[in-house]
Amino acid sequence: MFSKLPEPCKSIKKKTVDSLVPGAKDRTGTTDKSNDVSTRGGCSWNGLDNKGVDGSQYRWLSVSFMRYDSDQTRGPGDKLAGEYYAKQVDGVKATEGAKKVESQAADSIGDQATVVTYDLRKTDADFKYATVVTRTENVVATVVYNGAGYQGAKSPKASDLLKDAQKAAKETVASVAAANK
């Protein structure tokens, strides 16, 4: 059972953030507001890689953590995390307006992991999404990675986004273990 969370904005390596979010507005990330950083936290990065007449690529990456302590009335922390994990996966699959939603189990990321991919049209652009929900013991980490092409640039390939989101998810799971050493 893990007793603490990693610093969310340091849970994904700088090198990974730089490669996944070229032109990031803030390379250190934007920390989510949390009333209890010992049980929940998150961070996000976004950027527009402007290639002039060749168009631009927008990317957004976020990670959020939820940690559960064992509770006499509610049960063991890993069981509570498992319930939250299932709700997170169902919530991602039910994203309003999402098209071509696909999900599958992902191996070798924490104790449980599910990847969900979908397309979503917003701000007059076709966004591709890859979300990885993981559970490692009593901690659930959710990595969301999406992108779109603007000004004539093609949207990113879903398979590339998925591969990159899984890499970031592996780093977040490792960061949980490292924070508890």
Side-chain angles (χ1 to χ4, degrees), residues 37-105:
V37 293
S38 72
T39 59
R40 68 174 63 221
C43 186
S44 62
W45 301 262
N46 68 73
L48 185 67
D49 191 16
N50 193 334
K51 301 256 195 284
V53 295
D54 293 328
S56 302
Q57 287 291 330
Y58 175 81
R59 294 291 183 278
W60 188 77
L61 173 67
S62 76
V63 60
S64 60
F65 292 97
M66 191 74 176
R67 188 182 64 78
Y68 287 87
D69 288 317
S70 294
D71 181 294
Q72 250 181 334
T73 54
R74 295 174 55 221
D78 56 346
K79 178 183 162 278
L80 297 170
E83 291 166 3
Y84 180 74
Y85 164 87
K87 283 183 192 151
Q88 280 288 94
V89 170
D90 289 345
V92 174
K93 288 198 258 183
T95 298
E96 194 174 325
K99 307 247 184 302
K100 295 199 249 175
V101 179
E102 291 182 23
S103 71
Q104 64 192 46

Side-chain angles (χ1 to χ4, degrees), residues 110-144:
D111 297 322
Q112 282 180 288
T114 300
V115 296
V116 182
T117 56
Y118 59 90
D119 296 349
L120 186 65
R121 182 141 182 95
K122 61 181 187 179
T123 62
D124 294 329
D126 293 315
F127 279 76
K128 301 264 185 213
Y129 278 77
T131 301
V132 185
V133 182
T134 64
R135 183 186 66 79
T136 180
E137 292 184 32
N138 59 324
V139 175
V140 175
T142 305
V143 171
V144 180

